[in-house]
Amino acid sequence: MGQLLSSHPVATDRRRVLGRVLLIVALVSALLLVLMFVIDLGGAQYALIFAAFPLLLAAPASAVLLRKARVPEVIELYDGGIAHVLGGTRRSWTWEQVRAIDVAERGEHSYTGSDLDCAIRFDDGQLLHFSGLTQDSRVIVGALGRHCAAAAREPVRKAYKARAVAILGGITLVGGGVATWAFFTVPHTADGGDQFGLAMLAVACVVPAVISLILLISVLVTGRR
């Protein structure tokens, strides 16, 4: 690999803070869902099902962010290649092993503070992803441009895209299916709390189904992860 030219640690502070905030949101949402089953407000308690929306989004996001924030991550540049160190695991590749590069600009005023997103695919099939959270990330992109001019410039995160399509498609189908069942069950239910609860369930399931459908279309059209 040659001489070490530079080391680029990944900032974990933002991940940790955002992860904790999302964890609190997830816990509060879960508590509200539990209350829906233990209190009786004449059917009005079913409105608490709307807490499922932030729970579905915040819980997995907080888990990913907090897990990544606990493990130190560094990208190293050498004369002959690039290395990625995550905790006690180290991976390294020569410049000749770079097969494709995918660089996206998010704009200088991104609220996440991360204005760059880059993924690299190597000849062994492995991917290396980094963003503006990596110190001097543009230095890494510049090195890729100098040493890997022959590498393809194309979307390389097909696995992420397939995973996003599967998750969003599942949410759309489940939410739409439950909403359809509740909607057609309401007319055959006696007036009162049960009917109100079914109506709330239908509305509550339509919202995430529509949102996930919009996101699914966005993923498929843009070809991004």
Side-chain angles (χ1 to χ4, degrees):
M1 295 286 287
Q3 180 182 358
L4 175 64
L5 301 179
S6 59
S7 182
H8 305 266
V10 178
T12 60
D13 291 344
R14 291 181 186 141
R15 289 177 176 175
R16 185 175 294 106
V17 172
L18 183 56
R20 288 172 178 173
V21 171
L22 290 174
L23 179 60
I24 293 174
V25 172
L27 292 175
V28 172
S29 301
L31 177 60
L32 292 175
L33 287 176
V34 171
L35 288 176
M36 183 181 68
F37 294 100
V38 299
I39 62 176
D40 184 6
L41 299 176
Q45 71 273 11
Y46 289 110
L48 294 177
I49 198 172
F50 285 101
F53 305 154
L55 177 62
L56 290 173
L57 297 175
S62 64
V64 171
L65 288 171
L66 291 175
R67 179 178 60 82
K68 288 185 176 181
R70 290 197 303 266
V71 182
E73 182 178 3
V74 180
I75 295 177
E76 299 172 341
L77 295 181
Y78 292 83
D79 285 331
I82 186 171
H84 176 242
V85 182
L86 180 62
T89 303
R90 187 177 189 277
R91 302 181 298 168
S92 61
W93 306 269
T94 64
W95 297 121
E96 290 74 18
Q97 289 181 276
V98 176
R99 289 294 174 265
I101 303 172
D102 181 12
V103 180
E105 295 283 347
R106 296 177 177 174
E108 296 181 358
H109 304 290
S110 171
Y111 66 89
T112 62
S114 176
D115 59 349
L116 181 144
D117 190 78
C118 180
I120 311 168
R121 177 169 58 82
F122 301 95
D123 59 1
D124 58 3
Q126 295 191 70
L127 295 180
L128 174 60
H129 170 256
F130 64 91
S131 69
L133 292 176
T134 303
Q135 180 179 308
D136 297 327
S137 56
R138 294 187 182 277
V139 173
I140 305 175
V141 174
L144 291 169
R146 292 192 303 273
H147 296 286
C148 310
R153 266 55 176 181
E154 61 182 25
V156 299
R157 288 162 290 184
K158 296 179 180 179
Y160 290 96
K161 178 180 176 181
R163 189 181 308 169
V165 169
I167 294 174
L168 293 173
I171 294 175
T172 302
L173 290 176
V174 172
V178 174
T180 301
W181 170 81
F183 177 80
F184 285 105
T185 304
V186 168
H188 306 288
T189 304
D191 294 341
D194 291 340
Q195 190 179 63
F196 178 78
L198 286 171
M200 292 298 298
L201 178 62
V203 174
C205 290
V206 164
V207 175
V210 171
I211 294 176
S212 60
L213 178 60
I214 294 173
L215 294 175
L216 177 61
I217 294 174
S218 176
V219 170
L220 292 174
V221 170
T222 61
R224 308 299 292 179
R225 62 175 177 167

